[in-house]
Amino acid sequence: MEIIERVKKHAPITGENLAEMLGIARPTIRSDLALLVMLGYLDAKPKVGYFLGKTLEREESSYKKLDGIYVKDVMGFTCRSSRNSYGE
């Protein structure tokens, strides 16, 4: 929710600036931003940044449903294999 609040206040904002405001590295929030864009809570334009998406324009309070849900719970699990991409 903090990401959405920051975007709402400072839009358009780059991922780098957003990460700096939150005191974390950009790669740390990359998956969170991707998920929020996929769900329509945020929208992104190259060279411009992130801004509120269509979902929040229609129903601004709907993002509160995300409180307590983590990306790892939604995006699945990590799969590790002893094989390389050539099947060896």
Side-chain angles (χ1 to χ4, degrees):
M1 285 183 19
E2 191 171 346
I3 291 173
I4 293 173
E5 292 297 328
R6 298 287 173 121
V7 170
K8 193 161 52 170
K9 187 173 183 180
H10 301 283
I13 184 169
T14 64
E16 189 173 315
N17 289 341
L18 186 57
E20 187 177 310
M21 283 181 160
L22 296 171
I24 55 179
R26 165 92 168 73
T28 306
I29 62 168
R30 187 173 292 142
S31 58
D32 298 87
L33 292 170
L35 178 64
L36 291 170
V37 168
M38 284 188 280
L39 293 173
Y41 291 103
L42 295 182
D43 222 338
K45 288 189 178 181
K47 308 270 186 194
V48 176
Y50 293 92
F51 50 94
L52 292 183
K54 302 261 187 247
T55 301
L56 284 180
E57 288 175 3
R58 288 190 310 253
E59 188 182 336
E60 191 170 324
S61 64
S62 67
Y63 75 91
K64 293 184 180 178
K65 296 174 189 172
L66 296 175
D67 193 23
I69 298 174
Y70 297 93
V71 172
K72 66 182 177 89
D73 299 330
V74 178
M75 297 294 284
F77 59 93
T78 304
C79 181
R80 294 186 181 182
S81 173
S82 59
R83 296 183 188 187
N84 62 25
S85 60
Y86 301 106
E88 298 174 351

